[in-house]
């Protein structure tokens, strides 16, 4: 296997640990064309802004519905905390191996599974382009905006506000990397303030220092446990992972960080547990179950009344959601850009270039387009739920591969006598992450209590699982036709070449080389695709 040795992050930014990558990986950009606008605080707030979106404010009711009782719900939130810490530690180890590559899992999967050549990049690229929409948070934000004014709304009014908010976030992101990241920092502090306010208010309520009546959740925390089911528990785990998602957000911009912090996580994640304590201290189990997507609003109204402070805190939640939109846009654009730099997508310049604003305009536009379509096109109900669920199982598969991948890279580095990375996660963290990701591959197949046509759609509950696997299978079939069968039939093989654009961006581009010219081509290019004869 060809290895690229890379001991410097840029001309003036050195790393202490030698790194490597497989030659088929996207070429290392030793000087980031996106600049170096990400410091420790920005990286921290990128994580905070994606982690604290709308999940912690909107999903407690769904999770409670899945597990049945307040006590079991709190255990689930603690498990989510442990899981997020475990998987975060995997990302830290990966980043220690590849400090000059943005794109997080795009890079890590590419490097963990280099053979068959281009298979994982091809399948992941197709999956990530298709499912790069982020409609859920925009929709929930729109619902909160209407809730602030106490205004009833039609589905199309809600869609219109969601489109407007996401479009505003899109223009902020494409205008300037530096300013979009500064906004991320500002919103990060707003999110921390919001969580602190809810947590402190909840503790005051729990202590009996307000007029809020005791809902009785803590006197009988296990009430309703008997209503839990395997399907409900699995659905709750999916929502839990959604709520904690974002702890790896900053790894999408690793090459824009001058000095990679050893830790991008914070004990502030523990505030999630305190926020749930606050919810259950102010509202009854039945009220939380009925809250659906507005659990935080129920808490605000209970503690602060229906106006005034309650509306002010609802505004904070809306600002939190908007910060999440920008943070997710930044992360997704980097993943798509890195996917395009691998050479497996058509028009690599479209995905790679940072002209004219110094931002990845192509990836941003793709994400915006797909998100707007997802907001507008699917009607509420079966169609919308199915499309959203469709991305879940392929994501679970790649998460499982991500855990396996760190073990493979360790083995490969050991065979090459490379030193231990700057950060190496505990084996128990890998084992825990492996068990949970494996559970998420098996448990969704368990049918709901309401029967095969239950769940959140009116047709067979496993349709999204089969279709998701079918899409990945179709990608694999396409790969073998594209990379193997058709070239054999037409008498050529693919070779990669390194392309550098005028803005300094570097990408791989796959070219077709006739078999009779392969020996000449290989003698004139190194394993990465760079010409050995150019002057």
């Amino acid at each position: 296997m060809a290895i690229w040795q890379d001991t410097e992050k840029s001309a003036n930014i050195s790393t202490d640990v030698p790194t490597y990558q497989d030659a088929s990986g996207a070429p290392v950009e030793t000087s980031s064309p996106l600049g170096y606008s990400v410091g420790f605080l920005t990286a921290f707030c990128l994580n905070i802004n994606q982690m604290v979106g709308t999940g912690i404010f909107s999903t407690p009711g769904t999770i409670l519905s899945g597990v049945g009782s307040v006590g079991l719900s709190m255990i689930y939130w603690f498990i989510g905390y442990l899981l997020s810490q475990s998987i975060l530690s995997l990302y830290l180890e990966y980043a220690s191996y590849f400090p000059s590559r943005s794109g997080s899992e795009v890079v890590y999967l590419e490097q963990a599974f280099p053979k068959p050549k281009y298979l994982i990049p091809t399948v992941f690229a197709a999956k990530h382009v298709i499912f790069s929409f982020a409609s859920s948070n925009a929709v929930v934000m729109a619902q909160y905006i209407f809730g602030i004014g106490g205004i009833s709304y039609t589905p199309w009014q809600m869609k219109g506000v969601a489109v407007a908010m996401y479009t505003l976030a899109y223009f902020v992101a494409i205008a300037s990397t530096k300013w979009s990241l500064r906004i991320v920092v500002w919103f990060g502090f707003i999110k921390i303030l919001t969580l602190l306010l809810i947590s402190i208010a909840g503790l005051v309520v729990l202590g009996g220092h307000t007029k809020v009546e005791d809902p009785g959740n803590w006197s009988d925390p296990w009430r309703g446990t008997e209503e839990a089911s395997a399907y409900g528990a699995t659905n709750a785990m999916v929502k839990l992972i959604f709520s904690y998602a974002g702890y790896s957000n900053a790894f999408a911009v690793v090459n824009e960080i001058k000095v990679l912090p050893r830790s991008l996580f914070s004990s502030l994640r523990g505030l999630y547990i305190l926020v749930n304590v606050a919810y259950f201290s102010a509202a009854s189990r039945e009220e939380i179950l009925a809250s659906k997507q507005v659990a935080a609003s129920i808490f605000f109204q209970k503690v602060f009344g229906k106006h005034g402070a309650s509306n002010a805190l609802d505004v904070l939640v809306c600002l939190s959601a908007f910060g999440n939109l920008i943070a997710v846009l930044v992360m997704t654009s980097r993943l798509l850009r890195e996917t395009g730099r691998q050479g497996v997508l058509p028009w690599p310049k479209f995905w790679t270039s940072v002209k004219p604003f110094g931002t990845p305009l192509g990836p941003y536009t793709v994400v915006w387009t797909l998100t707007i379509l997802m907001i507008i096109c699917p009607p509420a109900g079966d169609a919308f739920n199915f499309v959203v669920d469709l991305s879940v199982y392929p994501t679970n598969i790649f998460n499982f591969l991500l855990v396996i991948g760190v073990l493979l890279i360790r083995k490969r580095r050991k065979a090459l006598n490379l030193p231990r990375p700057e950060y190496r996660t505990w084996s128990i963290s890998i084992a825990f992450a492996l068990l949970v990701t494996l559970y998420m591959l098996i448990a969704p197949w368990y049918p709901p209590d309401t029967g095969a046509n239950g769940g959140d759609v009116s047709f067979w509950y496993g349709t999204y699982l089969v279709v998701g696997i079918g899409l990945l299978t179709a990608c694999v079939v396409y790969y073998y036709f594209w990379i193997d069968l058709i070239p054999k039939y037409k008498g050529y093989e693919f070779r990669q070449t390194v392309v550098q654009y005028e803005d300094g961006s570097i990408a791989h581009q796959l070219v077709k080389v006739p078999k009779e010219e392969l020996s000449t081509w290989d003698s004139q290019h190194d394993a990465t695709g760079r010409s050995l004869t150019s002057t």
Side-chain angles (χ1 to χ4, degrees):
M1 178 180 62
I3 298 296
W4 173 287
Q5 295 287 344
D6 174 33
T7 56
E8 291 189 348
K9 187 163 186 176
S10 71
N12 59 354
I13 303 168
S14 63
T15 57
D16 297 329
V17 182
T19 63
Y20 83 101
Q21 72 166 38
D22 187 88
S24 64
V28 172
E29 292 177 317
T30 55
S31 181
S32 173
L34 291 163
Y36 293 96
S37 301
V38 184
F40 177 83
L41 183 61
T42 307
F44 171 77
C45 288
L46 274 170
N47 278 7
I48 290 296
N49 270 284
Q50 187 174 354
M51 288 188 294
V52 188
T54 57
I56 183 59
F57 305 117
S58 62
T59 59
T62 304
I63 293 172
L64 178 60
S65 176
V67 299
S69 68
V70 171
L72 198 53
S73 177
M74 294 303 301
I75 291 175
Y76 256 59
W77 282 99
F78 182 67
I79 291 174
Y81 175 82
L82 295 178
L83 175 62
S84 63
Q85 289 282 37
S86 296
I87 297 183
L88 172 76
S89 67
L90 296 180
Y91 276 87
L92 284 169
E93 182 167 339
Y94 273 120
S96 295
Y97 295 139
F98 312 110
S100 297
R101 293 288 303 278
S102 294
S104 59
E105 59 260 41
V106 172
V107 177
Y108 307 151
L109 288 168
E110 160 205 279
Q111 294 301 307
F113 302 94
K115 294 181 180 180
K117 196 172 185 178
Y118 306 126
L119 174 60
I120 289 295
T122 300
V123 177
F124 189 86
K127 174 261 179 188
H128 202 69
V129 171
I130 293 171
F131 298 119
S132 60
F133 54 82
S135 55
S136 297
N137 280 325
V139 169
V140 173
M141 181 181 178
Q143 292 173 338
Y144 268 97
I145 289 175
F146 282 110
I148 290 172
I151 302 171
S152 59
Y153 56 89
T154 66
W156 279 105
Q157 288 173 329
M158 183 270 293
K159 289 173 183 282
V161 173
V163 167
M165 291 299 98
Y166 198 80
T167 300
L168 177 60
Y170 165 74
F171 281 117
V172 169
I174 67 172
S176 167
T177 295
K178 180 181 292 186
W179 279 101
S180 63
L181 292 176
R182 286 180 179 176
I183 291 174
V184 163
V185 172
W186 299 339
F187 280 114
F189 283 111
I190 292 175
K191 290 169 183 282
I192 294 170
L193 175 63
T194 303
L195 292 182
L196 285 172
L197 283 173
I198 295 175
S199 299
I200 293 172
L203 292 176
V204 173
V205 172
L206 184 62
H209 302 295
T210 68
K211 295 181 180 180
V212 179
E213 294 183 5
D214 181 7
N217 290 324
W218 303 116
S219 59
D220 187 11
W222 307 109
R223 180 168 60 90
T225 302
E226 67 279 359
E227 300 174 11
S229 65
Y231 180 83
T234 300
N235 189 47
M237 182 63 72
V238 171
K239 300 299 183 183
L240 193 70
I241 292 173
F242 167 75
S243 296
Y244 275 103
Y247 47 81
S248 61
N249 200 31
F251 294 93
V253 295
V254 163
N255 199 32
E256 299 170 52
I257 303 176
K258 290 185 177 181
V259 180
L260 181 66
R262 289 176 178 268
S263 176
L264 296 174
F265 201 57
S266 168
S267 58
L268 283 171
R269 176 50 78 221
L271 287 177
Y272 266 30
I273 297 174
L274 289 179
V275 166
N276 276 274
V277 169
Y279 291 160
F280 294 130
S281 297
S284 68
R285 172 179 174 272
E286 289 70 24
E287 287 172 322
I288 295 292
L289 286 173
S291 67
K292 295 183 179 179
Q293 289 189 319
V294 287
S297 290
I298 297 294
F299 172 80
F300 295 156
Q301 292 173 16
K302 285 279 186 178
V303 178
F304 301 106
K306 294 185 178 181
H307 302 287
S310 175
N311 284 346
L313 287 173
D314 273 351
V315 170
L316 289 179
V317 174
C318 285
L319 293 175
S320 172
F322 187 73
N324 175 269
L325 296 182
I326 296 178
V328 173
L329 265 170
V330 170
M331 181 271 294
T332 309
S333 71
R334 271 43 172 196
L335 264 65
L336 284 178
R337 181 177 184 272
E338 200 65 21
T339 299
R341 290 201 324 112
Q342 293 171 331
V344 297
L345 290 175
W347 315 300
K349 186 175 182 179
F350 171 81
W351 304 99
T352 304
S353 176
V354 296
K355 282 193 169 185
F357 306 115
T359 57
L361 181 60
Y364 275 138
T365 302
V366 169
V367 177
W368 176 84
T369 302
L370 291 174
T371 299
I372 298 304
L373 289 174
M374 270 300 300
I375 292 173
I376 294 176
C377 295
D382 283 354
F384 181 82
N385 291 335
F386 174 74
V387 174
V388 172
D389 290 345
L390 195 56
S391 66
V392 171
Y393 205 71
T395 299
N396 291 345
I397 292 174
F398 284 116
N399 286 341
F400 176 75
L401 292 177
L402 200 65
V403 181
I404 299 296
V406 78
L407 299 175
L408 296 177
I409 289 179
R410 283 184 180 183
K411 180 180 179 181
R412 207 170 295 144
R413 286 179 62 89
K414 185 177 181 180
L416 293 168
N417 293 319
L418 291 173
R420 289 169 65 95
E422 184 179 7
Y423 181 91
R424 183 182 172 98
T425 187
W426 294 344
S427 297
I428 191 172
S429 294
I430 296 178
F432 183 66
L434 188 63
L435 286 174
V436 174
T437 52
L438 186 60
Y439 169 81
M440 293 307 297
L441 291 180
I442 298 172
W445 293 96
Y446 193 88
D449 293 339
T450 51
N453 292 336
D456 59 358
V457 293
S458 60
F459 43 86
W460 183 52
Y461 75 97
T463 303
Y464 79 95
L465 300 171
V466 175
V467 175
I469 293 174
L471 286 174
L472 295 184
T473 303
C475 291
V476 173
V477 172
Y478 164 78
Y479 162 82
Y480 278 107
F481 270 92
W482 169 60
I483 209 75
D484 188 33
L485 298 181
I486 294 177
K488 282 183 179 179
Y489 176 74
K490 293 191 174 182
Y492 65 85
E493 289 187 16
F494 279 109
R495 289 293 188 268
Q496 63 189 24
T497 183
V498 178
V499 181
Q500 182 164 358
Y501 302 108
E502 58 273 15
D503 58 6
S505 300
I506 305 173
H508 273 154
Q509 186 168 12
L510 299 187
V511 295
K512 300 174 182 178
V513 180
K515 288 187 176 180
E516 60 271 16
E517 300 177 15
L518 284 175
S519 58
T520 302
W521 172 276
D522 291 340
S523 67
Q524 295 176 350
H525 297 80
D526 64 16
T528 67
R530 287 180 169 83
S531 175
L532 298 174
T533 59
S534 60
T535 57

